[in-house]
Every structure is written in structure tokens, then in C-alpha cells.
Amino acid sequence: MSMELDTPVPLASRLTTQATILCYNCGAAIDGTQAAGALCSDCLKLTVDITQGIEREGILLMCRDCDRWLSPPAQWLQASWESRELLALCLRKLRGLNKSRIVDASFIWTEPHSRRIKLKISVQQEAFQGTILQQTFDVEFVQQYKQCPDCAKSYTHNTWRSCVQVRQKVPHKRTFLYLEQLILKSGAHKEALNIKEVPNGIDFFFSARNSAEKFLDFLASVAPIRSKKSQELISTDIHTSTSSYKFTFSTEIVPICKDDLVALPLKIARQIGNISPLVLCYRIGTAVNFLDPNTLQTADLSTPIYWRAPFAPLADVRELIEFIVMDIEPIGPQKGRFLLAEATVARASDLGHNDITYNVRTHLGSVLHPGDSVMGYNLTGTQFNNENFDDVAESKKYGGTIPDVILVKKHYAARKKNKTRNWYVRRMAKEEGEMKPRKQDQERDEVDYEQFLRDLEADPELREGLKLYRNKDAVQPAGMMEVDDDEEDEGLEIPMEQLIDEMGDVGLEDEELEGGEEV
């Protein structure tokens, strides 16, 4: 039995009509199902303000000493003008901005001296259910000054928490002058609250222990040192079991300097390459580098080995004597800038009085010529109160190899007083001790500084790691240069391509000194 189904009858489609209402503000027809608050889109933008709860004005606090900005509650940030960091700081200070979505934010140009910072900010927020508005508004900040705690401590005495005392037991300050240039190049002193100069070295004061340890690591990377830490209890809180300490790091640099004559202990001489025990120190780095002027053999003495059995140099640069090269002939191989040669020299003070000459071997064969002046150590008739030298003299192997004269470096004529250098180096701003230095001490410091500048001119390797600045004031008029061309100038000049123009460092208070005088 089959069932017959009725054929489907198509229903007539109903026409849907959109429910429209009139905007109560302007009377425009709008969709009543999607209209928010019976307002059209144009009236919604005009009547609803989604930025009503956001501040339009603010205050930014800046420390004028270190150029840092205060980020509440107590953090100080380094931010340049119109930088991303400064923009983020301004947005964090606006109350009510966290309720909206930030679409765009940018700076509006203002006069630098107006101390005003203006921002243009675009935000989005839901005005009614299902309706999101985007609006743009301007915010103005007033820049005010406030001293940060770190700068306040730097102007207040006895607020340091750690101190690094750098010492070297030598009669001159050439090592500290070179170390000062390395510190300036790396900026290792920027966290120091104060730098104080003492008779045998320099003291660096820091606000935190970590800063002092970081500075100590820098010293260990550029000089052979040893350090010792001590601490002093300042206060203790019995309720929280917390204590406050002051830390002091005593640092001593190896008392051997460049161009010193050293008599090595025989045991150490065998350990570092079986070098002759009577050597010259030609370089100081993380280790002490020695050179045998008779054979051009070099050896490195590491810092731990030296401090196990420390010894003093046999003679320093104050005991150098001027000699005149009568004749010189290269005989040996060349190692770097050293060339082995045999020379005949005479003391400059003996010329015209006697005919005493000395035949020596020297490592300066590449720079010396007949008639040149050279500085060296005269060992003939000199009595040394040194146990290591006595052991060398009594040794069967080295006793007969002690030369009469050991030449160290070429000597150049003194610079004319009315002629300034075409370069200068920067100096750190240091605080002098409580007692004023004596007149003879000041003169000795000036001599050491002038000798340091002459060493920089004569040694290209010594000035490789330093910053030398071009002295624009040293440019002479054309008439004066023509007069100077006729006169022989035996002084040294550093090539202009090795000099740099000075750039203003932010927050760096340095003195510009050339030849011991303030520029």
C-alpha cells in the first residue's frame, strides 16, 4: 500500500523591514537595533568624551647634575630628550590612561628652553555596548628640577659605602698618569662619588659595594695588582638582624715601571724562560714584560708569581744618564721594534774632559744614529744595595756578563717653552688632601707629567690604548710658521690622524690639561 504525499507548496517570502529610529540630537535616521543611546555616529563623536578621566597636565622631575628622570616611587632613569624611555615615563605618569587602549603616542615639538614636554596621544575605548570610539588629545608636562639621592651623596662627606685605595711604592707618578688615561677611556670612574689624591696613590669612593668590586675588576684587567678587603661595622638593627658596613679595598700595584732596570732572582729567571737576570722592563700590562738588551730575549712575569716573592727594581728612571752615540752598527736579528746593535757611547758630561767611551750592545739599533743622545744606566763604579744583584755578580754563569752601560731609550731635545703641543689629554677631577702639597712636590709632579707626555710622543705602543685630543689652540698663524721653519726642532709630533676631536660627555666633569696647565 503506497502513500501519496502532497507536493510542497512554496510559501511567499516575507519582506523584512529594518527598524529605524531618529537620532534624538540631529534627527537623522539610524538603525534602532545597533544605535548606541539613540545617537548617530557623528553625534556620538561630538557628545561622548572617552578621555574625560585622563589627566591633561603633569610634572616631570629631573636631576640637573646627572640628567636622570624620576620614575615614582624612587627610581631614577637615564633618558635622552624625545626618546622612547622618556615617552614611556610620561605615559606611566598619566592617571586614568590604563582604562583605555593606547593606539599612538608621539612628541610635539617645543622650545628646548621652555621646559615643557607635549605629547599627542590617540586612545580607543568602548563608549556604549558594542561601540568603540577613538579620540586624540594633547598632554603637557612641566619639567622641574630635583636632586637625586646619588648626587646628594656626592656633595655630602662621609656618605660612601665602599672605597678602593690604589697605591704604588715608587718615587714618581707616571704609572698613575697612565692609569688615569685608561680609566677615562673606559669610563670606569663614572660611578665614583669622589676621587681623592693622596701622597702615594688615589682613593676612589663609591656608594655601593658592587660598584667598587666592578672598578677593582677593571684595575685587575689593565695592571698587575693585588688587593685586600676589610669591612667596618656602622650600625646593626637588632629587630631585623640587618647590619650596615663600610668596605675598603686596599690595592697595590707592582712597584716596577717601564724603563726600570731589574735584577731578577736567579730562580725566577730560570722559571720564566731561562732569561738573563739583568733585564729591562719595557712594558707593563696584566703582567710585567722584561727584555734582555744583549740578546733581545723577552719574558713575562705573571702577577701571582711576583707577589709570592716580591722584589724591588735595581734602578729607576731618576738614575738615567745621558750618553752620546759615537758609532753604531746593527749586528743581530730584529724582533718587532727592537734591533740588536753594537754601539760606542760616551757620557755627555765627559765630552771635552776625557776620552772615556763604552762599547755596549743595545736593542735600539733601529732608532739610534751617530750623534744622537740616549739615556741609559751606568753600572761602572755604581754600588747597588740589592741582594739579587749581588747574587748575579757572584754567579759563575752571569758574573762576567754584566755590561758597563745599559741603554734604555733615545733622548730628544727639550720642547721650547713658547711652543705648545698640537694635542692634549684629559684629566680626572680629583680632590686634593687636607694638607696642601709642598712647592717641591708640585714641581716634581710637573716634571713627572711632562715626562709622561714626552713618553707618549716617543712611544707609539704606549699611546695605542689612550685617547689623545686635537688642540685647536695650538694652530699658529702663517707668519709664525714661516719663522719656525727655519729653526731646527728636534721635538716629537704626534700625527694628526691619530688625534680625535673632543666630544662633550654627559655628566663627565674633567679638566683639560696640557703640559701641566689648565686649558
Side-chain angles (χ1 to χ4, degrees), residues 33-92:
T33 60
Q34 298 180 358
L39 287 172
C40 63
S41 59
D42 296 334
C43 295
L44 190 64
K45 296 177 182 179
L46 295 176
T47 57
V48 178
D49 185 12
I50 63 175
T51 65
Q52 185 176 3
I54 303 176
E55 294 182 344
R56 303 301 177 93
E57 296 179 352
I59 297 176
L60 291 178
L61 299 178
M62 176 185 179
C63 178
R64 66 173 69 200
D65 295 324
C66 60
D67 294 339
R68 293 190 299 174
W69 303 84
L70 176 60
S71 178
Q75 186 180 7
W76 292 83
L77 303 177
Q78 189 76 32
S80 58
W81 193 261
E82 294 189 358
S83 62
R84 297 179 59 183
E85 293 79 6
L86 184 60
L87 180 61
L89 177 62
C90 295
L91 295 178
R92 285 197 300 267

Side-chain angles (χ1 to χ4, degrees), residues 18-24 26-40:
Q18 186 176 8
T20 57
I21 61 174
L22 300 179
C23 175
Y24 75 86
C26 63
I30 58 176
D31 186 2
T33 60
Q34 298 180 358
L39 287 172
C40 63

